[in-house]
Coordinates of all heavy atoms in Angstrom, one line a residue:
D1 N 33.3 17.8 -45.9 CA 33.3 18.1 -47.3 C 31.9 18.4 -47.8 O 30.9 18.0 -47.1 CB 34.1 17.0 -48.1 CG 33.3 15.9 -48.7 OD1 32.1 15.7 -48.5 OD2 33.9 15.3 -49.6
K2 N 31.8 19.1 -48.9 CA 30.5 19.6 -49.3 C 29.5 18.5 -49.7 O 28.3 18.6 -49.5 CB 30.7 20.6 -50.5 CG 31.4 21.8 -50.2 CD 30.7 22.7 -49.2 CE 31.5 24.0 -48.9 NZ 30.9 24.7 -47.8
V3 N 30.0 17.4 -50.3 CA 29.2 16.3 -50.7 C 28.6 15.7 -49.4 O 27.4 15.4 -49.4 CB 30.0 15.3 -51.5 CG1 29.1 14.1 -51.8 CG2 30.4 15.9 -52.8
A4 N 29.4 15.5 -48.4 CA 28.9 14.9 -47.2 C 27.8 15.8 -46.5 O 26.8 15.3 -46.0 CB 30.0 14.7 -46.2
Q5 N 28.0 17.1 -46.6 CA 27.0 18.1 -46.1 C 25.7 18.0 -46.8 O 24.6 18.0 -46.3 CB 27.6 19.5 -46.1 CG 28.7 19.7 -45.1 CD 29.3 21.1 -45.3 OE1 29.0 21.9 -46.2 NE2 30.2 21.4 -44.4
M6 N 25.8 17.9 -48.2 CA 24.6 17.8 -49.0 C 23.9 16.5 -48.7 O 22.7 16.4 -48.6 CB 25.1 17.8 -50.5 CG 23.9 17.8 -51.4 SD 24.5 18.1 -53.1 CE 26.0 17.2 -53.3
Y7 N 24.6 15.4 -48.6 CA 24.0 14.1 -48.3 C 23.3 14.1 -46.9 O 22.1 13.7 -46.8 CB 25.1 13.0 -48.2 CG 24.7 11.7 -47.8 CD1 24.0 10.8 -48.7 CD2 25.0 11.2 -46.5 CE1 23.7 9.6 -48.3 CE2 24.6 9.9 -46.1 CZ 23.9 9.1 -47.0 OH 23.6 7.9 -46.7
S8 N 23.9 14.7 -45.9 CA 23.3 14.9 -44.6 C 22.0 15.7 -44.7 O 21.0 15.4 -44.1 CB 24.3 15.5 -43.6 OG 23.7 15.7 -42.4
A9 N 22.1 16.8 -45.5 CA 20.9 17.7 -45.6 C 19.7 16.9 -46.2 O 18.6 17.1 -45.8 CB 21.3 18.9 -46.4
I10 N 20.0 16.1 -47.2 CA 18.9 15.3 -47.8 C 18.3 14.4 -46.8 O 17.1 14.3 -46.7 CB 19.5 14.5 -49.1 CG1 19.7 15.5 -50.2 CG2 18.5 13.5 -49.5 CD1 20.3 14.9 -51.4
Q11 N 19.1 13.7 -46.1 CA 18.6 12.7 -45.1 C 17.7 13.4 -44.0 O 16.7 12.9 -43.6 CB 19.7 11.9 -44.4 CG 20.3 10.9 -45.3 CD 21.1 9.9 -44.6 OE1 22.1 10.3 -44.0 NE2 20.8 8.7 -44.6
T12 N 18.1 14.6 -43.6 CA 17.4 15.3 -42.5 C 16.2 16.0 -43.1 O 15.2 16.1 -42.4 CB 18.3 16.2 -41.7 OG1 18.9 17.2 -42.6 CG2 19.4 15.5 -41.0
G13 N 16.3 16.5 -44.3 CA 15.2 17.4 -44.8 C 14.2 16.6 -45.6 O 13.0 17.0 -45.8
A14 N 14.6 15.5 -46.2 CA 13.7 14.7 -47.1 C 12.5 14.2 -46.5 O 11.5 14.1 -47.2 CB 14.5 13.6 -47.7
G15 N 12.4 14.0 -45.3 CA 11.3 13.4 -44.6 C 10.2 14.3 -44.2 O 9.2 13.9 -43.7
H16 N 10.4 15.6 -44.5 CA 9.4 16.6 -44.0 C 9.2 16.5 -42.5 O 8.0 16.4 -42.1 CB 8.1 16.6 -44.8 CG 8.3 17.0 -46.2 ND1 8.2 18.3 -46.7 CD2 8.6 16.2 -47.3 CE1 8.4 18.3 -48.0 NE2 8.6 17.1 -48.4
G17 N 10.2 16.4 -41.7 CA 10.1 16.2 -40.3 C 10.2 14.8 -39.8 O 10.3 14.5 -38.6
M18 N 10.2 13.8 -40.8 CA 10.4 12.4 -40.4 C 11.8 12.0 -40.7 O 12.4 12.4 -41.6 CB 9.4 11.6 -41.3 CG 7.9 11.9 -41.1 SD 6.9 11.2 -42.4 CE 7.2 9.5 -42.3
K19 N 12.3 11.1 -39.8 CA 13.6 10.6 -40.0 C 13.7 9.8 -41.3 O 12.7 9.1 -41.7 CB 14.1 9.6 -38.9 CG 14.3 10.4 -37.6 CD 14.8 9.5 -36.5 CE 15.1 10.3 -35.3 NZ 15.6 9.4 -34.2
S20 N 14.7 10.0 -42.1 CA 14.9 9.3 -43.4 C 16.3 8.8 -43.5 O 17.2 9.3 -43.0 CB 14.7 10.4 -44.5 OG 13.4 10.9 -44.5
V21 N 16.4 7.7 -44.3 CA 17.7 7.1 -44.5 C 17.9 6.9 -46.0 O 16.9 6.7 -46.8 CB 17.8 5.7 -43.8 CG1 17.8 5.9 -42.3 CG2 16.7 4.7 -44.2
S22 N 19.1 7.0 -46.4 CA 19.5 6.9 -47.8 C 19.2 5.5 -48.4 O 19.6 4.5 -47.8 CB 20.9 7.3 -48.0 OG 21.3 7.1 -49.4
V23 N 18.6 5.4 -49.6 CA 18.4 4.2 -50.3 C 19.4 4.2 -51.5 O 20.1 3.2 -51.7 CB 17.0 4.1 -50.9 CG1 16.8 2.9 -51.8 CG2 16.0 4.0 -49.7
E24 N 19.6 5.3 -52.1 CA 20.5 5.4 -53.3 C 20.9 6.9 -53.4 O 20.1 7.8 -53.3 CB 19.8 5.0 -54.5 CG 20.6 5.1 -55.8 CD 19.8 4.7 -57.0 OE1 18.6 4.8 -57.0 OE2 20.5 4.3 -58.0
T25 N 22.2 7.1 -53.7 CA 22.7 8.4 -54.0 C 23.7 8.3 -55.2 O 24.4 7.3 -55.3 CB 23.4 9.1 -52.8 OG1 24.5 8.2 -52.4 CG2 22.5 9.3 -51.7
S26 N 23.7 9.3 -56.0 CA 24.8 9.4 -57.0 C 25.1 10.9 -57.3 O 24.2 11.7 -57.1 CB 24.3 8.7 -58.3 OG 23.2 9.5 -58.9
I27 N 26.3 11.1 -57.7 CA 26.7 12.5 -58.0 C 27.7 12.4 -59.2 O 28.5 11.5 -59.4 CB 27.5 13.1 -56.8 CG1 27.7 14.6 -57.1 CG2 28.7 12.4 -56.4 CD1 28.0 15.4 -55.9
S28 N 27.4 13.3 -60.2 CA 28.2 13.5 -61.3 C 28.9 14.9 -61.2 O 28.3 15.9 -61.1 CB 27.4 13.5 -62.6 OG 26.8 12.2 -62.7
H29 N 30.2 14.8 -61.2 CA 31.0 16.1 -61.2 C 31.2 16.5 -62.6 O 31.9 15.8 -63.4 CB 32.4 15.8 -60.5 CG 32.2 15.3 -59.1 ND1 32.0 16.2 -58.0 CD2 32.1 14.1 -58.6 CE1 31.9 15.5 -56.9 NE2 31.9 14.2 -57.2
T30 N 30.7 17.7 -62.9 CA 30.8 18.2 -64.3 C 31.8 19.2 -64.6 O 32.2 19.5 -65.7 CB 29.4 18.7 -64.7 OG1 29.0 19.8 -63.9 CG2 28.3 17.6 -64.7
K31 N 32.3 19.9 -63.5 CA 33.3 20.9 -63.7 C 34.1 21.0 -62.4 O 33.5 20.9 -61.3 CB 32.6 22.3 -64.0 CG 33.6 23.4 -64.2 CD 32.8 24.7 -64.7 CE 33.7 25.8 -65.0 NZ 34.5 25.7 -66.2
Q32 N 35.4 21.3 -62.5 CA 36.2 21.3 -61.3 C 35.9 22.6 -60.4 O 35.7 23.7 -61.0 CB 37.7 21.4 -61.7 CG 38.6 21.5 -60.6 CD 40.1 21.6 -61.1 OE1 40.4 21.8 -62.2 NE2 41.0 21.4 -60.1
C33 N 35.8 22.4 -59.1 CA 35.7 23.5 -58.2 C 37.1 23.9 -57.8 O 38.0 23.1 -57.6 CB 34.9 23.1 -56.9 SG 33.2 22.9 -57.2
L34 N 37.3 25.2 -57.7 CA 38.6 25.7 -57.4 C 38.6 26.4 -56.0 O 37.5 26.8 -55.5 CB 39.0 26.8 -58.4 CG 39.1 26.3 -59.8 CD1 39.4 27.4 -60.8 CD2 40.1 25.2 -60.0
V35 N 39.7 26.5 -55.3 CA 39.8 27.2 -54.0 C 39.2 28.6 -54.2 O 39.6 29.3 -55.1 CB 41.3 27.2 -53.5 CG1 41.4 28.0 -52.3 CG2 41.8 25.8 -53.3
G36 N 38.3 28.9 -53.3 CA 37.7 30.2 -53.3 C 36.4 30.3 -54.0 O 35.6 31.2 -53.9
D37 N 36.0 29.2 -54.8 CA 34.7 29.1 -55.4 C 33.6 29.1 -54.3 O 33.8 28.6 -53.3 CB 34.5 27.9 -56.2 CG 35.2 28.0 -57.6 OD1 35.6 29.1 -58.0 OD2 35.1 27.0 -58.4
V38 N 32.5 29.8 -54.7 CA 31.3 29.8 -53.8 C 30.3 28.9 -54.5 O 29.9 29.1 -55.7 CB 30.7 31.2 -53.6 CG1 29.5 31.1 -52.8 CG2 31.8 32.1 -53.0
I39 N 29.9 27.8 -53.8 CA 29.0 26.9 -54.5 C 27.6 27.0 -53.8 O 27.5 27.3 -52.6 CB 29.5 25.4 -54.5 CG1 29.7 24.9 -53.1 CG2 30.8 25.3 -55.3 CD1 30.0 23.4 -53.0
T40 N 26.6 26.7 -54.7 CA 25.2 26.8 -54.2 C 24.5 25.5 -54.7 O 24.7 25.1 -55.8 CB 24.5 28.0 -54.8 OG1 25.2 29.2 -54.5 CG2 23.0 28.1 -54.4
A41 N 23.7 24.9 -53.8 CA 22.9 23.7 -54.2 C 21.5 24.1 -54.2 O 20.9 24.7 -53.3 CB 23.2 22.6 -53.1
K42 N 20.8 23.7 -55.3 CA 19.4 23.9 -55.4 C 18.7 22.5 -55.6 O 19.0 21.8 -56.5 CB 19.1 24.8 -56.6 CG 19.6 26.2 -56.5 CD 19.3 27.0 -57.7 CE 19.9 28.4 -57.5 NZ 19.8 29.2 -58.7
A43 N 17.8 22.2 -54.7 CA 17.1 20.9 -54.6 C 15.7 21.0 -55.2 O 15.0 22.0 -54.9 CB 17.1 20.3 -53.2
I44 N 15.4 20.0 -55.9 CA 14.0 19.8 -56.4 C 13.5 18.5 -55.9 O 14.1 17.4 -56.1 CB 13.9 19.9 -57.9 CG1 14.4 21.2 -58.5 CG2 12.5 19.5 -58.4 CD1 14.5 21.3 -60.0
E45 N 12.3 18.5 -55.3 CA 11.7 17.2 -54.8 C 10.9 16.7 -56.0 O 10.0 17.3 -56.5 CB 10.8 17.5 -53.7 CG 10.2 16.3 -53.0 CD 9.4 16.7 -51.8 OE1 8.3 17.3 -51.9 OE2 9.9 16.4 -50.7
K46 N 11.4 15.6 -56.6 CA 10.9 15.0 -57.8 C 9.7 14.1 -57.5 O 8.8 14.0 -58.3 CB 11.9 14.2 -58.6 CG 13.1 15.0 -59.0 CD 12.7 16.1 -60.0 CE 12.5 15.6 -61.4 NZ 12.2 16.6 -62.4
S47 N 9.7 13.5 -56.4 CA 8.6 12.5 -56.0 C 8.6 12.3 -54.5 O 9.7 12.3 -53.9 CB 8.8 11.2 -56.7 OG 7.9 10.2 -56.4
I48 N 7.4 12.2 -53.9 CA 7.4 11.9 -52.5 C 6.1 11.0 -52.3 O 5.1 11.3 -52.9 CB 7.4 13.1 -51.6 CG1 7.6 12.8 -50.2 CG2 6.2 14.0 -51.9 CD1 7.9 13.9 -49.3
S49 N 6.3 10.0 -51.4 CA 5.2 9.2 -51.0 C 5.3 8.9 -49.5 O 6.2 9.5 -48.9 CB 5.2 7.8 -51.8 OG 6.3 7.0 -51.4
N50 N 4.5 8.1 -49.0 CA 4.6 7.8 -47.5 C 5.9 7.2 -47.1 O 6.4 7.4 -46.0 CB 3.5 6.8 -47.1 CG 2.1 7.5 -47.1 OD1 2.0 8.7 -47.0 ND2 1.1 6.7 -47.2
K51 N 6.6 6.5 -48.0 CA 7.8 5.8 -47.7 C 9.1 6.2 -48.5 O 10.2 6.0 -48.0 CB 7.6 4.3 -47.8 CG 6.6 3.7 -46.9 CD 7.1 3.8 -45.5 CE 6.1 3.2 -44.5 NZ 6.5 3.4 -43.1
I52 N 8.9 6.7 -49.7 CA 10.0 7.0 -50.6 C 10.0 8.5 -51.1 O 8.9 9.0 -51.4 CB 10.1 6.1 -51.8 CG1 10.2 4.6 -51.4 CG2 11.1 6.5 -52.8 CD1 11.6 4.3 -50.8
A53 N 11.1 9.1 -51.1 CA 11.2 10.5 -51.7 C 12.4 10.5 -52.6 O 13.5 9.9 -52.3 CB 11.3 11.5 -50.6
I54 N 12.3 11.3 -53.7 CA 13.4 11.4 -54.6 C 13.7 12.9 -54.9 O 12.8 13.7 -55.1 CB 13.1 10.7 -56.0 CG1 12.8 9.2 -55.8 CG2 14.2 10.9 -57.0 CD1 12.2 8.5 -57.0
Y55 N 15.0 13.2 -54.8 CA 15.5 14.6 -55.0 C 16.6 14.7 -56.0 O 17.4 13.8 -56.1 CB 16.0 15.1 -53.6 CG 15.0 15.1 -52.6 CD1 14.7 14.0 -51.8 CD2 14.2 16.3 -52.4 CE1 13.6 14.0 -50.9 CE2 13.2 16.3 -51.5 CZ 12.9 15.2 -50.7 OH 11.9 15.2 -49.8
E56 N 16.5 15.8 -56.8 CA 17.6 16.1 -57.7 C 18.2 17.4 -57.3 O 17.4 18.4 -57.0 CB 17.1 16.2 -59.1 CG 16.7 14.9 -59.7 CD 16.2 14.9 -61.1 OE1 16.0 16.1 -61.7 OE2 16.0 13.9 -61.7
I57 N 19.5 17.5 -57.1 CA 20.2 18.7 -56.7 C 21.2 19.1 -57.7 O 22.0 18.3 -58.2 CB 20.9 18.5 -55.3 CG1 19.9 18.1 -54.2 CG2 21.7 19.7 -54.9 CD1 19.6 16.7 -54.1
T58 N 21.1 20.4 -58.1 CA 22.1 21.0 -59.0 C 23.0 21.9 -58.2 O 22.5 22.7 -57.4 CB 21.4 21.8 -60.1 OG1 20.5 20.9 -60.8 CG2 22.4 22.4 -61.1
I59 N 24.3 21.7 -58.3 CA 25.3 22.5 -57.6 C 26.0 23.4 -58.6 O 26.5 22.9 -59.7 CB 26.3 21.6 -56.9 CG1 25.6 20.7 -55.9 CG2 27.4 22.4 -56.2 CD1 25.2 19.4 -56.4
T60 N 26.0 24.7 -58.4 CA 26.6 25.7 -59.3 C 27.6 26.5 -58.5 O 27.6 26.6 -57.3 CB 25.5 26.6 -59.8 OG1 24.8 27.3 -58.7 CG2 24.5 25.9 -60.7
N61 N 28.5 27.1 -59.3 CA 29.5 28.0 -58.7 C 29.0 29.4 -58.8 O 27.9 29.7 -59.3 CB 30.9 27.8 -59.4 CG 30.9 28.1 -60.9 OD1 30.0 28.8 -61.4 ND2 31.9 27.7 -61.6
Q62 N 29.9 30.4 -58.4 CA 29.5 31.8 -58.4 C 29.3 32.3 -59.8 O 28.6 33.4 -59.9 CB 30.6 32.6 -57.7 CG 31.9 32.7 -58.4 CD 32.8 31.5 -58.2 OE1 32.5 30.5 -57.6 NE2 34.1 31.7 -58.7
K63 N 29.7 31.6 -60.8 CA 29.4 32.1 -62.2 C 28.1 31.4 -62.8 O 27.9 31.5 -63.9 CB 30.6 31.7 -63.1 CG 31.9 32.4 -62.7 CD 33.0 31.9 -63.6 CE 34.4 32.5 -63.2 NZ 35.5 32.0 -64.0
D64 N 27.4 30.7 -61.9 CA 26.2 30.0 -62.3 C 26.5 28.8 -63.2 O 25.6 28.4 -64.0 CB 25.1 30.9 -62.8 CG 23.7 30.3 -62.6 OD1 23.5 29.6 -61.6 OD2 22.9 30.6 -63.5
E65 N 27.7 28.3 -63.2 CA 28.1 27.2 -64.0 C 27.8 25.9 -63.1 O 28.1 25.8 -62.0 CB 29.6 27.2 -64.3 CG 30.0 28.4 -65.1 CD 31.5 28.6 -65.2 OE1 32.2 28.3 -64.3 OE2 31.9 29.0 -66.3
T66 N 27.2 24.9 -63.7 CA 26.9 23.6 -63.0 C 28.3 22.9 -62.8 O 29.0 22.7 -63.7 CB 26.0 22.8 -63.8 OG1 24.7 23.5 -64.0 CG2 25.7 21.4 -63.1
V67 N 28.5 22.6 -61.5 CA 29.7 21.9 -61.2 C 29.4 20.4 -60.8 O 30.3 19.6 -60.8 CB 30.5 22.6 -60.1 CG1 31.0 24.0 -60.6 CG2 29.8 22.8 -58.8
A68 N 28.2 20.2 -60.4 CA 27.8 18.8 -60.1 C 26.3 18.6 -60.1 O 25.5 19.6 -60.0 CB 28.3 18.4 -58.7
L69 N 25.9 17.4 -60.4 CA 24.5 17.0 -60.4 C 24.4 15.8 -59.4 O 25.2 14.9 -59.5 CB 24.1 16.6 -61.8 CG 24.2 17.6 -62.8 CD1 24.0 17.0 -64.2 CD2 23.1 18.7 -62.6
F70 N 23.4 15.9 -58.5 CA 23.3 14.9 -57.4 C 21.8 14.4 -57.5 O 20.9 15.2 -57.7 CB 23.6 15.6 -56.1 CG 23.4 14.7 -54.9 CD1 24.5 14.0 -54.4 CD2 22.2 14.6 -54.2 CE1 24.4 13.2 -53.3 CE2 22.1 13.7 -53.1 CZ 23.2 13.0 -52.7
K71 N 21.7 13.1 -57.3 CA 20.3 12.5 -57.1 C 20.3 11.7 -55.9 O 21.3 10.9 -55.6 CB 20.0 11.6 -58.3 CG 18.6 11.0 -58.2 CD 18.3 10.1 -59.4 CE 17.0 9.4 -59.1 NZ 16.9 8.2 -59.9
G72 N 19.3 11.8 -55.1 CA 19.2 11.1 -53.8 C 17.8 10.5 -53.7 O 16.8 11.2 -53.9
T73 N 17.7 9.3 -53.3 CA 16.5 8.6 -52.9 C 16.5 8.2 -51.5 O 17.5 7.6 -51.0 CB 16.2 7.3 -53.8 OG1 16.3 7.7 -55.2 CG2 14.9 6.7 -53.5
V74 N 15.5 8.5 -50.7 CA 15.5 8.2 -49.3 C 14.2 7.4 -48.9 O 13.2 7.5 -49.6 CB 15.5 9.5 -48.4 CG1 16.8 10.2 -48.6 CG2 14.3 10.3 -48.7
Y75 N 14.4 6.6 -47.9 CA 13.3 5.9 -47.3 C 12.8 6.7 -46.1 O 13.7 7.0 -45.2 CB 13.7 4.5 -46.8 CG 12.7 3.8 -46.0 CD1 11.6 3.2 -46.6 CD2 12.7 3.7 -44.6 CE1 10.6 2.5 -45.9 CE2 11.8 3.1 -43.9 CZ 10.7 2.5 -44.5 OH 9.7 1.9 -43.8
R76 N 11.6 7.0 -46.1 CA 11.0 7.9 -45.0 C 10.5 7.0 -43.9 O 9.5 6.2 -44.1 CB 9.9 8.8 -45.6 CG 10.4 9.7 -46.7 CD 9.3 10.4 -47.4 NE 8.8 11.4 -46.4 CZ 7.5 11.7 -46.3 NH1 6.6 11.1 -47.0 NH2 7.1 12.6 -45.4
T77 N 11.1 7.0 -42.7 CA 10.6 6.2 -41.6 C 9.3 6.9 -41.0 O 9.0 8.0 -41.4 CB 11.6 6.1 -40.5 OG1 11.7 7.3 -39.8 CG2 13.0 5.6 -41.0
S78 N 8.7 6.2 -40.1 CA 7.5 6.8 -39.4 C 7.9 7.6 -38.1 O 7.1 8.0 -37.4 CB 6.5 5.7 -39.1 OG 7.2 4.7 -38.2
K79 N 9.2 7.7 -37.9 CA 9.7 8.4 -36.7 C 10.0 9.9 -36.9 O 10.6 10.2 -37.9 CB 11.0 7.7 -36.2 CG 10.8 6.3 -35.8 CD 12.1 5.6 -35.4 CE 11.8 4.2 -35.0 NZ 13.1 3.5 -34.7
D80 N 9.5 10.7 -36.0 CA 9.8 12.2 -36.1 C 11.2 12.5 -35.6 O 11.7 11.8 -34.8 CB 8.8 13.0 -35.3 CG 7.4 12.9 -35.9 OD1 7.2 12.8 -37.1 OD2 6.4 13.0 -35.1
W81 N 11.7 13.6 -36.1 CA 13.0 14.1 -35.7 C 13.0 14.6 -34.3 O 13.9 14.6 -33.6 CB 13.6 15.1 -36.7 CG 14.3 14.5 -37.8 CD1 13.9 14.5 -39.1 CD2 15.6 13.9 -37.8 NE1 14.8 13.8 -39.9 CE2 15.8 13.4 -39.1 CE3 16.5 13.6 -36.8 CZ2 17.0 12.8 -39.4 CZ3 17.7 12.9 -37.1 CH2 17.9 12.5 -38.4
L82 N 11.9 15.2 -33.9 CA 11.8 15.9 -32.6 C 11.3 14.9 -31.5 O 10.6 14.1 -31.5 CB 10.9 17.1 -32.7 CG 11.3 18.1 -33.7 CD1 10.3 19.2 -33.8 CD2 12.7 18.7 -33.3

């Protein structure tokens, strides 16, 4: 499902190459998605430090209507993905 894909993307991308694990996530569904809708997620890195990063993601449909708002906080480990 799309939420799981988004969650996974945050965990893998949030660390800038470092393994990261979720500390907190929340999502608000603001409009129903329908079969055939094309959704796009745009992420903004709100804060990043050596150990914690915070992201806000806006999910829109093909009409540029917001269908969901997602916030994720991750703990950045010292381990590289590669």
Side-chain angles (χ1 to χ4, degrees):
D1 97 344
K2 297 295 181 188
V3 173
Q5 290 173 357
M6 183 171 40
Y7 175 77
S8 177
I10 287 174
Q11 284 194 299
T12 57
H16 292 271
M18 297 167 58
K19 290 185 179 181
S20 299
V21 294
S22 175
V23 173
E24 177 183 24
T25 58
S26 66
I27 188 164
S28 298
H29 301 273
T30 58
K31 184 172 180 71
Q32 181 181 13
C33 288
L34 304 173
V35 173
D37 278 356
V38 176
I39 61 170
T40 302
K42 295 179 185 175
I44 297 173
E45 187 173 72
K46 299 298 283 185
S47 175
I48 191 165
S49 69
N50 288 338
K51 296 292 180 186
I52 298 289
I54 300 171
Y55 296 87
E56 289 182 353
I57 297 91
T58 302
I59 300 91
T60 57
N61 63 16
Q62 69 278 7
K63 297 176 185 175
D64 205 31
E65 299 169 324
T66 299
V67 296
L69 299 167
F70 179 91
K71 180 184 173 199
T73 302
V74 296
Y75 173 78
R76 302 172 69 220
T77 72
S78 59
K79 298 177 183 177
D80 290 332
W81 274 107
L82 302 174

